[in-house]
Amino acid sequence: MVHPSRRKARFYRCLVAAFSFNKLVIFGVGLIGGSLARALRERSGATGEVVGVGRSMKSVERALELGVIDSAVLLDDDRALEHALRGADFVLIAAPVAQTAPLLRRIAPFLDARTIVTDAGSTKNDAVSAARAALGDRAAQFVPGHPIAGRESSGVDAALPDLYVDRNVVLCPLPENTPESVERVAAMWLATGASVHRMSAEQHDGVFASVSHLPHVLSFALVEQILEAPDAALKFSFAAGGFRDFTRIAASSPEMWRDVCIANRAALLTEIDAYTKVLARFREAIDASDGAALEAAFERSRTARSVWQQGGAIKAADDSTQ
Amino acid sequence: MVHPSRRKARFYRCLVAAFSFNKLVIFGVGLIGGSLARALRERSGATGEVVGVGRSMKSVERALELGVIDSAVLLDDDRALEHALRGADFVLIAAPVAQTAPLLRRIAPFLDARTIVTDAGSTKNDAVSAARAALGDRAAQFVPGHPIAGRESSGVDAALPDLYVDRNVVLCPLPENTPESVERVAAMWLATGASVHRMSAEQHDGVFASVSHLPHVLSFALVEQILEAPDAALKFSFAAGGFRDFTRIAASSPEMWRDVCIANRAALLTEIDAYTKVLARFREAIDASDGAALEAAFERSRTARSVWQQGGAIKAADDSTQ
């Protein structure tokens, strides 16, 4: 894994100000896909054609209206899809992760040998499997990616040209990817202002099961638990700032998180089990009124979180290179 | 329980613009106690004497410097404490909840018959027991209270005159409290801009175990779990906005939360057990790749949280009276 420093990232941004492409085809022009299109145009000045592919006209019409894409194609229109994919430099799949496999199967028959396909899913082992199954020998054309840039809002109206500035993007290259393909995808994300990191799909799924997928499940579970209480209304009426922050992620898309939980099932179950053990230990300490154990654990957490919060500054001073 | 509407609260604020006291003695002049003193002076124009009591000079000197209190007394100085408590209208105990019992025992020998004692602890059953044990027949002078107004920062430097504006304060009156005592404490908090609610100590502790104490434990537990992972540093380095919000409350005071967990042990254990069951159910659904069950639960949570977020507006339109 490589952590480019922010200074390095800025240097790359200068280099890639001239980042260009002839044709970018985005499957799913919402927050993530729309923000990429806007960033490439409005930040790096790329002038290539951006084609949006959607399941319904409604889903792509708004992107057309906003000028985020140049043309719109319906997913089930064979001829339009073939035309859209012909000569494309890049394909980005930016849809709930359960759609990665069917979309790759849909793309496969029309995939140009020169096209690099990447995705923006929150889980990567499943994307790798999907690519190998759908693309076979051409899986080398697929470079798995994950921009870490969620927002509470979704849809193309929420897309921003600076969504990725100073955000992390993780690439999980396949052994068969050419270095050039990986570099091209990295350059695309660097052009949006993001920092680009690499790790294996396995490692990625473990890390994000822990720091992202598990917290989402825990947050949804708290709201579910309160809903089941006979005095739920009273409880909600006194929920305050702590509850608000803790459950902000429970406002996330149910469809997206359903897919993530299932796609990253193995790693997530490992994290849930480890978490349940820690919680059981805390429960024991509370039951035993073991103030010393509780205070020590809470102090460890507070300190770790405080170090983490200062991490931005520490990273910026780091001068490791890509 | 009574929910005064905001309109009603504004009406009360007009009435209590003239809220006054001769002497207020605050045990623990930090964020909560200091903000009360500042609110009463700077918002309601009260001119009474404010005495701060602390365990060390250091803890009260800063409050004196900032003009938050008029005089400072050391907790172990019998004569000064006796003098401070003579003729006091109000005593506020604003310290970690494990100190409520020892502070009440310390106050008892010097307590004037006209003084109303109240507190600001996050747990109320333990405060009631402490008052009955320390004050005996004079427990009627103790009106248990809980201002819902935490901040990440603490200490008197973080105290604000408007900390309580539009916040909730819960009072849990004892059967032996006179209506006048309860009204006087309510008037004091209304003068700070807060809304005042009443419920039993039992009900209070159940509600806050669920919407406040449990989320704190869950948040501390997540950070603890990540710390125990062999790749903790890597995990923290990719933690993003969702993690930040979910763990904001894990930056809270370890001492305060140790005390809360133990003081509200029974209710908190009930909530931890109920939560563990919900999490186990989510685990089963994930293990079974039961997308429908997951999506339905996540959707319920998202909807409930969205209704809750709009609750402020709904409550403001409510016209129930105190």
Side-chain angles (χ1 to χ4, degrees):
Chain A
M1 192 203 48
V2 178
H3 283 269
S5 69
R6 292 200 183 175
R7 186 140 46 104
K8 197 78 181 179
R10 272 198 297 276
F11 171 69
Y12 270 106
R13 281 209 288 279
C14 296
L15 274 186
V16 296
F19 174 81
S20 66
F21 59 89
N22 290 313
K23 196 197 270 188
L24 164 65
V25 184
I26 299 176
F27 287 74
V29 192
L31 170 70
I32 296 297
S35 293
L36 176 67
R38 291 197 61 182
L40 293 180
R41 291 193 159 169
E42 298 172 39
R43 286 183 52 88
S44 81
T47 54
E49 183 188 359
V50 180
V51 183
V53 184
R55 282 184 287 188
S56 67
M57 272 318 287
K58 197 182 149 234
S59 72
V60 278
E61 260 171 3
R62 182 69 187 144
L64 263 179
E65 259 176 48
L66 292 168
V68 171
I69 56 175
D70 300 301
S71 56
V73 167
L74 282 179
L75 184 61
D76 60 8
D77 182 341
D78 271 15
R79 191 174 299 177
L81 195 61
E82 181 174 10
H83 182 259
L85 289 168
R86 194 176 301 144
D89 311 82
F90 292 105
V91 163
L92 173 76
I93 297 177
V97 296
Q99 292 171 42
T100 306
L103 286 174
L104 284 169
R105 285 195 295 271
R106 183 79 186 115
I107 291 163
F110 312 114
L111 185 61
D112 217 314
R114 56 163 291 183
T115 305
I116 300 168
V117 183
T118 187
D119 76 323
S122 306
T123 54
K124 297 271 69 76
N125 273 321
D126 66 311
V128 171
S129 304
R132 293 206 199 285
L135 305 180
D137 291 346
R138 294 174 299 162
Q141 288 178 248
F142 180 70
V143 181
H146 176 200
I148 321 301
R151 288 180 72 200
E152 281 173 86
S153 41
S154 58
V156 72
D157 283 284
L160 297 171
D162 59 356
L163 181 68
Y164 301 113
V165 174
D166 291 335
R167 299 299 189 92
N168 290 319
V169 172
V170 179
L171 300 183
C172 304
L174 305 178
E176 58 264 52
N177 286 149
T178 63
E180 293 70 29
S181 300
V182 179
E183 284 304 319
R184 285 282 285 160
V185 175
M188 180 180 79
W189 285 113
L190 288 167
T192 68
S195 296
V196 177
H197 310 264
R198 299 181 197 189
M199 60 176 86
S200 70
E202 192 79 18
Q203 196 170 32
H204 170 281
D205 285 3
V207 165
F208 289 93
S210 170
V211 299
S212 170
H213 311 167
L214 175 64
H216 276 81
V217 170
L218 298 177
S219 180
F220 281 124
L222 180 73
V223 181
E224 176 86 346
Q225 182 203 354
I226 299 175
L227 279 174
E228 287 175 359
D231 56 348
L234 178 67
K235 284 176 169 168
F236 279 117
S237 77
F238 283 99
F243 172 85
R244 183 191 60 235
D245 292 341
F246 186 90
T247 60
R248 188 184 66 78
I249 51 184
S252 306
S253 158
E255 184 190 7
M256 173 185 164
W257 286 96
R258 173 201 67 192
D259 284 3
V260 167
C261 287
I262 293 174
N264 202 18
R265 187 178 49 180
L268 183 53
L269 290 177
T270 301
E271 296 302 325
I272 291 176
D273 292 344
Y275 183 84
T276 302
K277 275 181 198 159
V278 174
L279 186 58
R281 227 169 52 219
F282 278 19
R283 188 203 184 283
E284 261 177 54
I286 293 166
D287 197 20
S289 295
D290 186 347
L294 290 172
E295 189 176 2
F298 296 171
E299 188 63 59
R300 272 195 300 276
S301 288
R302 180 163 76 161
T303 303
R305 194 181 180 282
S306 156
V307 169
W308 172 77
Q309 273 207 301
Q310 290 157 11
I314 295 164
K315 264 193 217 159
D318 173 18
D319 201 21
S320 63
T321 53
Q322 197 181 18
Chain B
M1 194 202 49
V2 177
H3 283 269
S5 68
R6 293 202 180 174
R7 185 140 48 106
K8 197 77 182 179
R10 273 199 296 276
F11 172 69
Y12 270 105
R13 281 208 289 278
C14 296
L15 274 186
V16 296
F19 173 81
S20 66
F21 59 88
N22 290 312
K23 196 197 271 187
L24 165 65
V25 184
I26 300 177
F27 288 74
V29 191
L31 171 70
I32 296 297
S35 293
L36 175 67
R38 292 197 61 182
L40 293 181
R41 290 191 160 172
E42 298 173 40
R43 286 183 52 87
S44 82
T47 54
E49 185 189 359
V50 180
V51 184
V53 184
R55 282 183 286 188
S56 67
M57 272 318 286
K58 197 182 149 233
S59 73
V60 278
E61 260 172 3
R62 183 67 187 146
L64 263 179
E65 259 176 50
L66 293 168
V68 171
I69 56 175
D70 300 300
S71 57
V73 167
L74 282 179
L75 185 60
D76 59 8
D77 182 340
D78 271 15
R79 191 175 299 179
L81 195 60
E82 181 174 12
H83 182 259
L85 289 168
R86 194 177 301 144
D89 311 83
F90 292 104
V91 164
L92 173 76
I93 297 176
V97 296
Q99 293 172 41
T100 306
L103 286 174
L104 285 169
R105 283 197 296 272
R106 183 80 187 114
I107 290 163
F110 312 115
L111 186 61
D112 217 311
R114 55 163 293 181
T115 306
I116 299 168
V117 183
T118 187
D119 78 321
S122 306
T123 54
K124 297 271 68 77
N125 274 320
D126 65 312
V128 171
S129 303
R132 292 204 202 284
L135 305 179
D137 291 348
R138 293 174 300 161
Q141 288 178 246
F142 181 69
V143 181
H146 177 202
I148 321 301
R151 289 179 72 198
E152 280 173 88
S153 41
S154 59
V156 71
D157 283 285
L160 297 171
D162 60 356
L163 181 68
Y164 301 113
V165 175
D166 291 335
R167 300 299 189 93
N168 290 320
V169 173
V170 179
L171 301 183
C172 304
L174 306 178
E176 58 265 51
N177 286 149
T178 63
E180 292 71 27
S181 300
V182 180
E183 284 305 316
R184 285 281 286 160
V185 175
M188 181 181 78
W189 286 113
L190 288 167
T192 68
S195 296
V196 177
H197 308 264
R198 299 183 196 185
M199 60 177 86
S200 70
E202 191 79 18
Q203 196 171 33
H204 170 282
D205 285 2
V207 165
F208 288 93
S210 169
V211 300
S212 170
H213 310 168
L214 175 64
H216 276 81
V217 169
L218 298 176
S219 180
F220 281 124
L222 180 73
V223 182
E224 176 86 346
Q225 183 203 354
I226 299 175
L227 279 174
E228 288 175 359
D231 55 350
L234 178 67
K235 284 176 170 170
F236 279 117
S237 77
F238 284 100
F243 173 84
R244 184 191 61 234
D245 292 340
F246 186 91
T247 59
R248 189 185 64 80
I249 49 183
S252 306
S253 158
E255 183 190 9
M256 173 184 163
W257 285 97
R258 172 201 68 191
D259 285 3
V260 167
C261 286
I262 293 174
N264 202 18
R265 186 178 51 179
L268 182 52
L269 290 176
T270 302
E271 296 302 326
I272 291 175
D273 292 344
Y275 184 83
T276 303
K277 277 182 196 157
V278 174
L279 186 58
R281 228 168 51 219
F282 278 19
R283 189 203 185 283
E284 262 177 54
I286 292 165
D287 197 20
S289 295
D290 187 347
L294 290 172
E295 189 176 3
F298 297 171
E299 188 63 60
R300 272 195 300 277
S301 288
R302 180 163 76 161
T303 304
R305 194 181 179 284
S306 155
V307 169
W308 172 76
Q309 274 208 300
Q310 290 157 10
I314 294 165
K315 263 194 218 158
D318 174 17
D319 202 20
S320 62
T321 54
Q322 195 179 18

